Amino acid sequence: MLIGLPHVSELTMSSNPDLTYGHHLKLDQLLSAQVPVSDSHDEMLFIIQHQTSELWMRLMVAELGAARQRLQVRDFRGARKALGRVSVVFAQLVQSWDVLRTLTPLDFAAFRGDLGPASGFQSYQYRMIEFMLGNRNAALLAPHVGNPEIHAGLLEELSQPSLYHVALEILQEQVAGDFESKSLDRTRPHVRIQAVEDAWAQVYGAPEVHPDLFDLAEQLVEIEDQFRCWRFNHVTTVERVIGAKQGTGGTSGVGYLRRMLDTVLFPELWSLRSGL
């Protein structure tokens, strides 16, 4: 037998002999989902880049949901595992822009006009991730009104506490912060609250007393750090490929993306650092 090759018995061992690699991964569906709308060779790259990003975002939605559930029952170990995976996926997405940057402005111009109103702004999974992390704005539901199932899912997310809201519930519970976590507006982006920052400062002042909260805070900062890197790479990639032109789907392009760089998900965890 050649070294490194499996034995025949290994090839046939399976509790479900009908389940092959291709069937399990639905490769016939997955690999037939790249359907260019132009004759440009480079459109395939554009499609695969965004499809793989959506797959990674699907995993992040699942892991953020799991992390929130774990925190709600105070399972910090389970939450750490899920949040750690989210950080790694964000890092993967940050690097993925390097592939799209191989498109020159002329490459993209060859098929851009064929994309019509399609825009990354319409990604409901991206919106779901923002909502789950706490950057909530009910006005951003508008692009999804035409799809009742997706619209209902995003609306349902707005009715739940975000991941940060749950973290603040635990913070108030364990540190007795001078704020009411359950009264925080779940339908709007979270803004800095001094009492929340004071409570987090107690955690950072004595991490050995509040190790779970300290680790949670640092994981949230890591996730936002990676999210910022992902947004920044998005901006520079778009600027490199289309400059300051209007984005696909009628968005303002780089101008809009640059404004998003100012978004802060967990403001108290960043502002407290100035006083440490």
Side-chain angles (χ1 to χ4, degrees):
M1 185 177 75
L2 294 176
I3 297 175
L5 292 180
H7 190 272
V8 173
S9 61
E10 295 179 53
L11 293 174
T12 57
M13 278 174 44
S14 173
S15 59
N16 182 0
D18 295 326
L19 183 63
T20 66
Y21 176 82
H23 287 156
H24 185 214
L25 300 182
K26 300 294 188 288
L27 289 183
D28 54 341
Q29 299 174 37
L30 187 65
L31 299 181
S32 62
Q34 296 74 46
V35 185
V37 295
S38 74
D39 295 328
S40 171
H41 166 79
D42 295 296
E43 189 188 349
M44 181 66 77
L45 161 61
F46 187 83
I47 292 172
I48 292 175
Q49 164 81 23
H50 289 83
Q51 286 182 337
T52 52
S53 294
E54 289 290 336
L55 286 172
W56 284 124
M57 283 192 279
R58 181 170 183 176
L59 178 59
M60 279 200 287
V61 168
E63 296 298 337
L64 287 171
R68 176 166 54 191
Q69 290 176 348
R70 300 292 187 273
L71 287 177
Q72 286 173 326
V73 296
R74 308 306 186 252
D75 174 9
F76 291 98
R77 183 175 181 276
R80 279 196 297 271
K81 179 179 179 181
L83 292 176
R85 187 168 291 166
V86 170
S87 295
V88 173
V89 173
F90 259 130
Q92 179 78 17
L93 287 172
V94 169
Q95 296 299 318
S96 72
W97 290 112
D98 291 343
V99 183
L100 198 62
R101 287 195 188 104
T102 64
L103 279 178
T104 70
L106 297 180
D107 293 336
F108 188 43
F111 65 86
R112 187 184 184 212
D114 296 298
L115 300 181
S119 167
F121 187 74
Q122 299 160 347
S123 170
Y124 69 88
Q125 291 200 119
Y126 174 81
R127 196 66 58 208
M128 180 66 80
I129 290 168
E130 282 202 312
F131 283 3
M132 295 179 85
L133 290 173
N135 186 29
R136 298 176 161 201
N137 184 347
L140 295 175
L141 293 172
H144 310 290
V145 171
N147 190 316
E149 184 177 355
I150 289 173
H151 185 268
L154 291 169
L155 199 59
E156 167 63 21
E157 175 56 34
L158 289 181
S159 73
Q160 300 184 56
S162 71
L163 183 70
Y164 194 48
H165 285 139
V166 176
L168 295 185
E169 289 177 11
I170 301 171
L171 178 66
Q172 185 180 45
E173 172 186 295
Q174 297 192 8
V175 183
D178 187 21
F179 61 93
E180 180 51 60
S181 61
K182 294 187 183 300
S183 68
L184 298 177
D185 190 347
R186 296 178 178 180
T187 63
R188 300 179 62 81
H190 178 75
V191 295
R192 177 181 172 273
I193 299 172
Q194 184 61 52
V196 170
E197 182 174 328
D198 292 343
W200 280 123
Q202 291 186 55
V203 173
Y204 275 76
E208 70 283 356
V209 178
H210 308 286
D212 291 325
L213 273 172
F214 180 80
D215 289 345
L216 174 60
E218 284 297 284
Q219 277 199 303
L220 291 176
V221 169
E222 170 65 16
I223 286 173
E224 181 160 5
D225 193 354
Q226 293 289 352
F227 201 176
R228 289 181 180 185
C229 291
W230 185 82
R231 283 188 177 130
F232 181 78
N233 273 9
H234 189 184
V235 171
T236 56
T237 300
V238 171
E239 191 169 21
R240 177 170 174 167
V241 176
I242 69 170
K245 293 197 290 284
Q246 187 179 60
T248 54
T251 61
S252 59
V254 169
Y256 170 79
L257 295 174
R258 285 197 181 282
R259 289 195 298 275
M260 292 302 99
L261 292 178
D262 294 330
T263 299
V264 182
L265 297 172
F266 317 123
E268 295 88 1
L269 293 177
W270 292 96
S271 58
L272 71 82
R273 281 162 157 70
S274 300
L276 294 177

